[in-house]
Amino acid sequence: QVQLVESGGGLVQAGGSLRLSCAASTLTFSAYTMGWFRQAPGKEREFVAAIISWSGRATNYADSVKGRFTISRDNAKNTVYLQMIGLKPEDTAVYYCAAAVRAGVWALSNLSNNYEYWGQGTQVTVSS
């Protein structure tokens, strides 16, 4: 069982920045593809970004966040990050990190049902 704990959410003005962190309780963190998803009130959970296991050299982003959000990982710290700049009110949501280890998951890393483990979420609110 892998536990994921997000932190770093908060209230920020439009145009501001936040960095989310997600710490994983597993000794095999490197082997997991990691993703960030978000869910706004009244909306379905949506993909934000993903980073491939091990090297982290491959990343994937939703079109809505490309150029503004950056996902990264530190395998030594068992942590994945989401750096967010140029925040907009429409970025307001609960942000969840997720972990996936199954073979072939990278090709479908934007689909939430491919992730085995989820954090409890952290609220990001962007005021206009």
Side-chain angles (χ1 to χ4, degrees):
Q1 188 76 6
V2 177
Q3 291 186 332
L4 303 173
V5 179
E6 302 98 333
S7 61
L11 173 65
V12 63
Q13 289 186 335
S17 303
L18 282 174
R19 188 177 81 156
L20 306 183
S21 300
C22 173
S25 65
T26 172
L27 296 179
T28 58
F29 175 76
S30 300
Y32 286 82
T33 287
M34 300 299 296
W36 285 98
F37 292 77
R38 66 187 182 186
Q39 188 167 19
K43 294 186 177 181
E44 293 187 353
R45 190 171 297 188
E46 65 174 1
F47 170 72
V48 175
I51 188 166
I52 202 168
S53 57
W54 301 107
S55 69
R57 290 176 182 173
T59 56
N60 185 20
Y61 295 95
D63 287 344
S64 59
V65 306
K66 281 182 181 177
R68 299 188 299 122
F69 291 11
T70 302
I71 188 171
S72 61
R73 67 189 300 155
D74 185 336
N75 291 336
K77 295 182 179 180
N78 286 6
T79 301
V80 63
Y81 303 98
L82 185 69
Q83 178 68 52
M84 307 184 292
I85 66 172
L87 283 161
K88 305 175 181 179
E90 50 264 44
D91 294 318
T92 295
V94 177
Y95 283 70
Y96 299 90
C97 80
V101 72
R102 66 187 68 181
V105 68
W106 180 247
L108 298 171
S109 59
N110 61 320
L111 300 180
S112 60
N113 60 0
N114 286 313
Y115 290 80
E116 294 100 323
Y117 303 103
W118 291 83
Q120 82 290 348
T122 185
Q123 176 71 47
V124 172
T125 303
V126 184
S127 63
S128 58

